[in-house]
Structures are given as structure tokens and as C-alpha cells.
Amino acid sequence: MVDVPGFEDPTASVALNDNADDGLKKKGNKKSGGFQSMNLNYNVLKGIIKRGYKQPTPIQRKTIPLIMEGRDLVAMARTGSGKTAAFLIPMFEKLKVRSAKAGARALILSPTRELALQTLKFIKEIGRFMGLKASVILGGDSMDNQFSAIHGNPDIIVATPGRFLHVCVEMDLKLNSVEYVVFDEADRLFEMGLGEQLTDIIGRLPDTRQTVLFSATLPKVLVEFAKAGLSDPVLMRLDVESKLPTELKCFYFTLRPEEKLPALLVLLKSFIDSQQQTVVFAATKHHVEYLHEVLDKVGISNTYIYSNLDPSARKIHAAKFSLGKVKVLIVTDVAARGIDIPQLDNVINFNFPAKPKLFVHRVGRCARAGRSGIAYSFVSPDEYAYLLDLHLFLGRPLTITTPSNQEGAVGKIPQELLEEQQDSLLILQKTHTELVNLRAIADRGYEQYLRSRPTASSDSNRRIKELPLSNCSVHSVFKKNNSGLEDDRENLLDRMKNYRPQGTIFEICGKNKSQEYQTMKQKRAFHKDKISAHHQLVQQKIAETESLAKSDSHTLQNSNSEDIEGTFSKVVLPKKRKMEVLYKKNKKQKTVDENYIPYAPVDQHTEQGLSVNNFQKEATRAQLDLVGDSEEILRMHKQQKVWDRKKKKMVALPSAKSGKIRTESGAWIPATYKSDRYAQWKEKTKAGADDDEDSDEEQPKRELHRRANTHWARHNEKIKIKQRKSELKNSDQIVKAQMLSEKKKQRQKKKGKGKRKSRPKK
């Protein structure tokens, strides 16, 4: 018998357990870093090797054994670390073989269509030798096809929560056979307002299920999610320190808002290889359409994706880019989560993201699986504070390009390059008038976007004023191709821009013997020491801010130790750091006074970037108005309350959204709403005809399930039976039908004779 690596002979394992020899036990427990050491099924291992996986990533090495033990798990790792394979491999090991009658045994919920389709693709690639059947349930697709897919008893269902709950309500699905549930990008699911759908779906699942939550970044609210749907879960926090891949380079360019489009053309035409794949992130769908038209006009092949796009069009456009037919993809944040494009080289943030976590997900599309990548970001003056928030969140120094520091991350684009592209855009708008309309629509859409954009932290807004971002030098990316004369020209322009005369307008324009000149001279001499001290303080603040976060490496704190111990039975952390370091209080805390209480936690910037719900914003919204300030508000408050006879007081009306769920289209419908689509589909396809072929044991169960269980239901069922017409007629019914047909024929004959008599003679 040939020994296959990673597989143990059952008899050998028994013999090994019976034998007490220490040497044999040590040999059996020998550790290995590959998938072969995980005791996987041969077909699973074969699919992994065919997919091209050689060594498991840290998240895969830690999570796969735990999931295979049957434990509920909450796993946190940075984007691009191999989370999809980490929950698919143990799923295949758990399901093993195809079961045509058991129904769906695994459920994977994804926040977006693209991520669900990508997960389905991974299932087909890794599980190609398993023989398992997988189906996808997505909003926008044909519901009849989804009914057929579920009737085919798939082993695995990959779905978005809105449409899947809609199908469950239509078909009265119980999901009793589900053994394995995955919440992919769990924080995004709750951020999108899908909490009601997830709660309803969880209620339909059996209590014996195994639940796994995966996400790139999860905040403290993870504790509440785990308490709701998981039993005795394990918390796994890996790659906490490195929020961005080490192979990713981040470049930031300071620009005016109207210079962003010329800057995009500069990068795509001159500084990014035309054979490299690039994703451009814009704020709204109107920006996406405008950029798409402009790039088409200038001869740059591109495609686009946004949320309101037709699902089939989104699929076609994504396929064009992933297959390499076009090299530029313009998207909104709909593609910032979980989309895996293996050959992606560059990411361009046309509009800088307002949340640090969103930046991590955007730029995480490239530099995956050990490859290198570059993230270019355009930062306008109203976005400077968000840039500072990002670096406080990442814990990285914010270096600015200056004549003395040529390798800074923040710089500017040479003005002559921007002016050249700006001139070409003006000519383009004159020849294509539709671009002017698209630009106006994009500007109005950006105004609406600014209303919903969260504000940056007050600390960043205060500190950004001390940074000389508007006076930074040309970025090192553009200096590589510049000659020495161009560098001297830029330096001269920078010095001219930053020049501030020593004297005031009274001293420069006035005569030496004038009263204004003499007064200002005396004033300057009187405040000479204060002026020099002020200049020294400004230079000191600039030096301190340029080295922001260089010496601050705060540990990422989680919830309180009581919450952690009450929710998670086990916490897995990187080997370099122990659990006590995370949750033990620092006894040597420096305080100014023994009664001093710090007003901000150590990890405020990190947790603020990871937070789903900001407590400060929620608290400001929850305000109590004792008296309305207008008649309209007072009248509205009266209308919102009704008199309760039992409580003998005015009570608030129930919420309009209570007992309702939101569909994939965003509309709120009753949770029990059920259309007649499924019944019509069964009538059309005769899908219920197979029920007659059930075994004698299953038939009584089905009849019991169909039987009415309440008085009114039984009453209505009797009425329906009476009203139902039988296909076989008795003798009286046949005679009556013949008499009616004879009368009908006689009436038709009389009508025919009357028409002939009234016909005029020729």
C-alpha cells in the first residue's frame, strides 16, 4: 500500500494509539507547514494543489484545524490573506460527498454580488474533485431559476442576504439541514443595514449548526455579534499590526479639486504602464460615468462598475477587466470589499476615502499574495484631515516631500504636466458638449456626497493646519524623469510661492521719513523677542508633526477582559504577543496627578477607524426636546402618540419598520409578505408532481405538514373543497348542461332570423 502524504491509514492510527512508545508518538506528531499535515481528504488536497496553493497562509494555518474540530470561530485578518480558502477547505472536509436528498448543508452569506460570484468560482476550482453541487442566490437574477436551483438540492448555497431571505419567505424554507454557515465580510453585512435579514435567517437555521465569521477588520462590536449567533466561539486575531501589505507603496498627491482629472490623465498616459491593470475609485456613480466618457474620448480603454448598474452588465464589465481585455476599471466603493483580481498592479483614489478602514479595503485590492503594488491617492485641501486620520490609524509617519527630504510620501505633480492635460480637456469639452453636462451632474452629485460624508476627527482638523501640505515639493515619482533644469525651476517656483517679505505694506510702500514707517519700525523693535519666539515655535511644531506617529506604536486593545472572557472561550493571537499584554492594565502608568483621569483611550484612532457605529455621533442624534419650537413640531409630537386604555396614558406609536424587512432593492416590506411567484412557478414547471412518488413513510409526514392546524384554517379548507369542481359529472349535471346548450342554440337562431327580416330590399 502506497502512503499518500497527509493521509493516515486508519489501522495505523489505531495501532499508534494503542502503542505507548514515546518515539512513535513524537514521530506521529511531527509538525509540517503544508496542507499535507492537516489530514485532509485526498480529493480536497488534490483540488488545493490544482488551484496552485503550495503553503497555507497564517490565517489558513490557524483557522482550518479549529474549524475542522467543529468550533464556532471569529477570524480577523487583513485583506488578501486568504480568508476565502480558510473557510472553504474545512467546509469541503465537513461535507465530503454529494447528498441529493438532504438539502443545502452549507450556507455562505456575502455582502455584494461580486464577492458571492468570486466565492462560487473558488468553490468550483478547489472543490472540482468533490462532486458537490453549489448554487448562487443573488438579487437581480431570475427568481424562477433560483427556485429551480433550490429544488435541485444543492449542497452549498452562496447568497446575498436580501434575496436569500426573499426566497426563504416565498418557499417557506426551514433550512433544517444546514450544518455550516459562513458570514463573509461580517462587518460590511451589518454596515449595509442587513441586521434584520441576518437575524431572520439565523432564526431559520438549526441550533446545531457551526457558524464562522470572517472579516478583514472588525471592531469592538464583534463581541455583540458573537453573543447573538455563536456558541462558545473562538476569537482569532492575526496580522493586527500590519493593516497594509508590506509590498504596497502609498503615494499621495496634493491637488486642487479641478486638477484631479488632469492628474488622472497624467498618471494613466505617462507614468503607469499601459499593460498594467489599474482600478480607479470615485465618490459617486456620476463621477464613474463622467470619467468613463473622458477616458473613452482620449483613447484609454476602460470599463466601469457601480451599484445601480444592471447585474448582467456588472458581470460583463467585471469579466472584461479580469480577463485583461481592458486595463482600467472605474468603480465606486461597491468593489472595495473582497474582490480578488490576481494581476492588479495599481489603485488610484480619485476621491480620498473618509474612513481609514475604507482606504485599507480599497488599496488591499492590489499587492495580494506576495505581489507588489502601488496606491496613488489624490488629496484636495478639504481631504487633508482624512489623510491625517489615516496615518493615525495606520500608526505610520506622515512624511512630506521637501527640498531637504526628497523621498516623502506626500508631494505634488509638476504644474506643466497638469496644464498640458488641462488644455487638452478644454478642447475635448468644446468638441463634445455632452461632457459638460456629465461634469455638471458629477459636481451636483459630489455636493450630495459631501452632506453624507462623515467629518474627520477634531484632533486631525486642528493638527492639519500646522502641516505645510500646500507648500510641499514635487513628488519623487515625477522627479525620476525630470532633468536638472526642471528641478531648479520647480525649486525656484516653490521659493517664490513661500516667500514672505519681512516688512509690512506700510514699510515697503511708505517713505523712510513718513509717520507710518516710523511707527511700524518702533512696533517691530518693541515685539522683536516675541516675533522670534513665535517663529521658533512654528518651526518646532512643523518638525514634530512631520514625524507623526514615528515613535507611537500603540497596541490594539480589544473590549474589556470581562467581555472577552464572557464571550470567547479561547483567543488566538500572534506568537510574538501574549494575551496578558493586550488586556493587563499598565501598572506603571504615568499621571500628572493621582486624581487625573485620561479623557481618551490609547487606541482611540485605531478603534475609530475600525468602528461600525460611532458612539459620539449616535449620542448627538439622541436628544430630548421637552418643548417644540414651532406649532408644526408640537402638532407632529401629538400625532406620534395615541391613548392607551390599559395604561391610561399617551404612548408612542409603534415604529413603521417594526415587523418589516428590507429587500435587496432597499424597499421595506412585511416580514411575512409572500407573493404568488413560487406557486405559479410550481404550476408552470409541475415541480410538485414528485410528491406522489414519495415513500410510504414520507407521505404521512407531508400530509401532516399540509393539514390545517387551526379552526379557521380547517373551516376555509372545507369551503374550498366544496367549491372545487369535480371532473366527473353525474346524470343530473349532464342533463342540465344539455338543456342549457339547447336554449343557447335557440337564442342564436332567433337572433339570426331577426337580422334577415330587417335587411333592406335591393
Side-chain angles (χ1 to χ4, degrees):
M1 180 176 173
V2 181
D3 293 334
V4 180
F7 303 95
E8 297 178 357
D9 186 8
T11 59
S13 63
V14 173
L16 182 63
N17 291 333
D18 293 339
N19 195 348
D21 186 72
D22 295 337
L24 286 177
K25 287 187 177 181
K26 289 180 181 178
K27 187 176 180 181
N29 294 332
K30 185 179 180 181
K31 292 185 178 180
S32 174
F35 289 103
Q36 290 83 359
S37 64
M38 296 181 179
N39 296 329
L40 298 174
N41 191 321
Y42 175 72
N43 290 329
V44 178
L45 188 61
K46 189 177 178 182
I48 292 170
I49 295 172
K50 286 289 185 180
R51 179 64 178 81
Y53 293 144
K54 296 180 180 178
Q55 291 292 330
T57 61
I59 188 69
Q60 294 168 358
R61 190 178 293 111
K62 294 286 186 181
T63 56
I64 290 175
L66 279 172
I67 299 175
M68 289 172 63
E69 290 176 7
R71 300 291 300 272
D72 284 5
L73 180 69
V74 177
M76 301 166 57
R78 63 178 173 82
T79 182
S81 59
K83 297 188 299 296
T84 305
F87 64 75
L88 288 183
I89 292 172
M91 181 190 72
F92 293 135
E93 190 66 25
K94 190 179 184 72
L95 301 184
K96 293 191 184 325
V97 294
R98 163 91 172 126
S99 176
K101 293 185 178 181
R105 293 179 290 154
L107 174 63
I108 302 173
L109 296 176
S110 301
T112 61
R113 288 177 52 88
E114 286 76 17
L115 185 55
L117 292 172
Q118 178 186 308
T119 305
L120 181 66
K121 180 183 176 183
F122 269 84
I123 291 172
K124 291 180 179 179
E125 291 177 349
I126 300 177
R128 65 173 71 178
F129 305 107
M130 297 296 296
L132 298 173
K133 185 177 181 180
S135 298
V136 63
I137 308 295
L138 302 176
D141 292 349
S142 172
M143 192 168 283
D144 290 350
N145 295 339
Q146 292 169 358
F147 292 152
S148 302
I150 293 179
H151 264 263
N153 284 326
D155 299 286
I156 307 163
I157 293 179
V158 185
T160 51
R163 173 53 67 89
F164 182 67
L165 180 58
H166 193 177
V167 171
C168 287
V169 172
E170 291 285 349
M171 300 182 67
D172 288 332
L173 285 179
K174 301 299 180 185
L175 305 177
N176 293 328
S177 59
V178 174
E179 307 170 6
Y180 186 76
V181 183
V182 179
F183 293 88
D184 196 8
E185 300 289 355
D187 57 340
R188 181 62 176 160
L189 288 171
F190 284 90
E191 281 179 359
M192 294 171 66
L194 300 173
E196 296 86 358
Q197 286 88 330
L198 296 177
T199 304
D200 200 324
I201 292 171
I202 287 173
R204 296 171 180 267
L205 297 171
D207 296 335
T208 57
R209 70 185 184 275
Q210 182 182 3
T211 310
V212 179
L213 274 76
F214 272 84
S215 178
T217 54
L218 284 176
K220 292 180 179 178
V221 290
L222 166 65
V223 179
E224 300 175 4
F225 299 160
K227 283 182 179 178
L230 281 71
S231 61
D232 192 21
V234 177
L235 172 63
M236 181 169 294
R237 303 192 71 165
L238 299 180
D239 299 336
V240 176
E241 294 296 333
S242 55
K243 300 179 180 68
L244 292 179
T246 55
E247 298 83 4
L248 179 69
K249 297 179 181 179
C250 295
F251 299 143
Y252 309 96
F253 305 126
T254 58
L255 298 162
R256 295 194 302 271
E258 60 271 13
E259 292 177 340
K260 286 188 175 183
L261 185 53
L264 177 64
L265 296 179
V266 168
L267 288 179
L268 293 177
K269 284 185 173 182
S270 306
F271 290 90
I272 293 179
D273 188 0
S274 60
Q275 299 303 316
Q276 293 182 352
Q277 287 191 310
T278 305
V279 172
V280 182
F281 284 96
T284 66
K285 68 173 185 177
H286 308 295
H287 287 79
V288 171
E289 293 173 346
Y290 176 53
L291 295 178
H292 169 65
E293 289 295 330
V294 171
L295 294 184
D296 272 351
K297 296 293 189 296
V298 298
I300 299 175
S301 64
N302 68 96
T303 186
Y304 60 96
I305 295 176
Y306 53 82
S307 59
N308 289 351
L309 196 64
D310 184 73
S312 58
R314 282 169 65 174
K315 192 183 301 182
I316 293 169
H317 292 183
K320 280 183 182 179
F321 184 71
S322 60
L323 295 175
K325 293 185 178 180
V326 294
K327 298 299 182 181
V328 179
L329 175 66
I330 310 169
V331 295
T332 56
D333 288 320
V334 70
R337 287 286 189 129
I339 306 303
D340 186 18
I341 305 168
Q343 302 300 323
L344 185 61
D345 302 289
N346 306 287
V347 170
I348 300 176
N349 289 309
F350 188 83
N351 298 102
F352 199 79
K355 293 183 179 180
K357 184 172 64 170
L358 192 55
F359 180 89
V360 171
H361 282 288
R362 281 186 179 185
V363 302
R365 301 308 98 219
C366 65
R368 298 168 75 93
R371 298 182 76 254
S372 60
I374 303 176
Y376 303 94
S377 300
F378 300 153
V379 189
S380 56
D382 63 321
E383 297 167 336
Y384 286 166
Y386 298 108
L387 176 61
L388 197 57
D389 269 347
L390 172 66
H391 280 262
L392 287 169
F393 168 69
L394 297 176
R396 292 184 174 185
L398 181 62
T399 55
I400 301 173
T401 304
T402 58
S404 59
N405 181 20
Q406 298 292 333
E407 298 299 326
V410 184
K412 65 180 183 180
I413 300 175
Q415 194 64 32
E416 65 270 11
L417 297 179
L418 294 175
E419 291 174 356
E420 179 183 353
Q421 297 300 329
Q422 186 68 40
D423 293 340
S424 63
L425 281 174
L426 292 174
I427 297 172
L428 199 64
Q429 289 178 358
K430 289 180 180 179
T431 54
H432 302 280
T433 55
E434 67 272 13
L435 293 179
V436 180
N437 297 330
L438 288 174
R439 180 178 179 179
I441 294 172
D443 292 341
R444 290 196 295 270
Y446 190 69
E447 292 176 1
Q448 298 295 328
Y449 166 77
L450 291 179
R451 294 182 180 180
S452 61
R453 184 177 67 175
T455 57
S457 64
S458 57
D459 189 21
S460 296
N461 279 311
R462 177 180 56 81
R463 298 177 70 176
I464 202 65
K465 298 175 183 177
E466 303 169 0
L467 278 174
L469 287 177
S470 58
N471 300 326
C472 57
S473 302
V474 175
H475 202 282
S476 58
V477 174
F478 302 97
K479 287 189 176 182
K480 293 178 182 179
N481 299 329
N482 286 2
S483 62
L485 294 175
E486 292 179 351
D487 289 341
D488 295 340
R489 178 175 176 272
E490 290 292 338
N491 292 334
L492 178 61
L493 291 175
D494 288 340
R495 281 183 290 172
M496 291 174 61
K497 186 187 296 184
N498 298 329
Y499 173 73
R500 296 292 181 271
Q502 295 294 328
T504 61
I505 189 172
F506 301 105
E507 298 170 75
I508 296 173
C509 299
K511 296 180 180 180
N512 294 344
K513 296 182 179 180
S514 63
Q515 184 178 359
E516 296 85 355
Y517 182 83
Q518 297 295 334
T519 303
M520 290 305 302
K521 281 293 183 183
Q522 294 174 5
K523 190 72 173 174
R524 186 179 297 279
F526 182 75
H527 295 291
K528 182 178 180 181
D529 296 336
K530 291 185 178 181
I531 293 172
S532 60
H534 172 72
H535 286 302
Q536 291 178 1
L537 182 62
V538 169
Q539 293 297 328
Q540 183 180 356
K541 286 184 177 180
I542 292 174
E544 291 176 357
T545 315
E546 285 181 352
S547 60
L548 178 65
K550 189 172 288 184
S551 60
D552 297 335
S553 57
H554 303 312
T555 57
L556 180 62
Q557 294 182 352
N558 208 316
S559 300
N560 297 331
S561 58
E562 293 82 6
D563 297 334
I564 293 292
E565 293 172 0
T567 305
F568 301 101
S569 60
K570 184 179 179 181
V571 179
V572 180
L573 295 168
K575 292 183 179 179
K576 295 181 181 179
R577 307 174 62 199
K578 297 181 180 179
M579 184 176 176
E580 290 78 12
V581 178
L582 282 179
Y583 307 117
K584 189 190 294 183
K585 294 182 180 179
N586 188 4
K587 296 181 179 179
K588 298 181 180 180
Q589 187 177 6
K590 295 182 180 180
T591 56
V592 180
D593 188 0
E594 61 180 1
N595 297 322
Y596 171 75
I597 301 175
Y599 65 92
V602 179
D603 63 339
Q604 58 172 341
H605 301 294
T606 303
E607 286 298 342
Q608 186 176 0
L610 292 172
S611 64
V612 176
N613 297 320
N614 192 338
F615 172 76
Q616 184 178 0
K617 294 181 180 178
E618 297 293 335
T620 53
R621 292 176 185 170
Q623 59 182 0
L624 177 63
D625 293 331
L626 297 178
V627 180
D629 57 357
S630 66
E631 293 183 3
E632 184 179 356
I633 295 178
L634 289 172
R635 186 167 59 252
M636 185 174 64
H637 280 300
K638 290 180 181 179
Q639 292 173 353
Q640 290 176 348
K641 292 186 177 182
V642 294
W643 178 258
D644 192 339
R645 288 185 176 182
K646 294 182 178 179
K647 297 181 179 180
K648 303 296 183 183
K649 63 178 183 179
M650 300 292 290
V651 296
L653 286 172
S655 174
K657 295 180 181 178
S658 60
K660 294 185 177 182
I661 58 173
R662 192 167 61 175
T663 63
E664 64 274 6
S665 63
W668 289 88
I669 62 172
T672 57
Y673 174 76
K674 182 179 176 183
S675 66
D676 203 24
R677 284 187 181 181
Y678 182 54
Q680 293 173 0
W681 175 81
K682 287 182 67 177
E683 181 68 24
K684 182 172 63 176
T685 59
K686 305 299 181 185
D690 298 336
D691 296 345
D692 300 334
E693 301 175 2
D694 292 339
S695 62
D696 296 337
E697 296 178 358
E698 295 178 354
Q699 191 68 25
K701 295 179 182 178
R702 291 185 179 272
E703 292 298 330
L704 182 63
H705 177 71
R706 293 170 184 168
R707 196 176 299 159
N709 294 323
T710 61
H711 168 73
W712 285 108
R714 287 192 293 269
H715 176 70
N716 293 334
E717 191 172 349
K718 290 178 182 179
I719 293 175
K720 289 180 181 178
I721 292 172
K722 289 180 181 180
Q723 293 176 351
R724 194 177 299 157
K725 293 182 180 180
S726 176
E727 294 181 0
L728 298 177
K729 297 180 180 180
N730 54 28
S731 58
D732 295 337
Q733 290 175 337
I734 293 172
V735 172
K736 187 177 180 179
Q738 289 177 351
M739 292 174 61
L740 291 173
S741 62
E742 288 294 334
K743 289 181 180 180
K744 189 175 182 181
K745 289 179 181 178
Q746 291 177 3
R747 285 197 300 268
Q748 289 177 351
K749 288 180 181 180
K750 290 180 180 180
K751 289 181 180 179
K753 291 179 181 179
K755 289 181 180 179
R756 291 193 191 99
K757 290 180 180 179
S758 61
R759 190 175 297 169
K761 294 181 180 181
K762 293 184 180 178

